[in-house]
Amino acid sequence: MPKLTVEGVGTFDVPAGKKLVLALADEAGVDQMYACGGNAKCTTCKVEFIEGEPSKITVAEKEKLAEKGLTGVRLSCQVEVDSDMTVRAISRMADFPQREDPGSRPADEITPDPEWT
């Protein structure tokens, strides 16, 4: 089982293949944002990788990051936990006091259907 370390929170066992956004919420108990419901249509689920960043990326994630001009971050809704990784959660409910909730819970599978690059 891969280990997910969240800076300042702890280290957690995560089922292989689970979406990072769900692992952050479920296993780590992080108040992670996902305003678009985990569909790569916004960037509220972004994280910074400290170690173990996956080399593969979905076309949807790559396009959204480019559209927003973001570098050095990944969309946790588009990342599978398939090996040990360490992240910094940088988009949390606490940072958005105007929001009542983090968004609709993302699906278990990566959406849209992943096209990997």
Side-chain angles (χ1 to χ4, degrees):
M1 209 177 258
K3 296 208 179 292
L4 169 64
T5 301
V6 182
E7 184 182 67
V9 178
T11 300
F12 310 89
D13 289 327
V14 175
K18 186 167 188 170
K19 284 180 15 177
L20 178 55
V21 67
L22 296 176
L24 287 166
D26 298 346
E27 278 75 20
V30 171
D31 58 338
Q32 181 68 34
M33 292 289 301
Y34 38 79
C36 74
N39 295 298
K41 294 186 179 198
C42 71
T43 58
T44 60
C45 71
K46 63 186 173 290
V47 296
E48 292 177 1
F49 270 86
I50 298 169
E51 289 182 19
E53 180 175 353
S55 59
K56 66 182 187 176
I57 185 169
T58 66
V59 170
E61 178 184 10
K62 191 173 187 175
E63 289 175 353
K64 182 53 66 176
L65 292 173
E67 173 189 316
K68 297 286 187 174
L70 296 173
T71 59
V73 297
R74 295 288 301 268
L75 301 183
S76 63
C77 72
Q78 299 293 298
V79 174
E80 293 177 333
V81 180
D82 55 6
S83 62
D84 294 351
M85 52 183 64
T86 302
V87 299
R88 180 177 298 123
I90 58 171
S91 191
R92 302 175 70 167
M93 277 291 296
D95 300 324
F96 296 88
Q98 71 279 14
R99 290 197 54 101
E100 294 182 20
D101 61 58
S104 299
R105 183 172 171 86
D108 290 338
E109 303 81 27
I110 291 179
T111 54
D113 287 334
E115 183 181 335
W116 301 102
T117 65

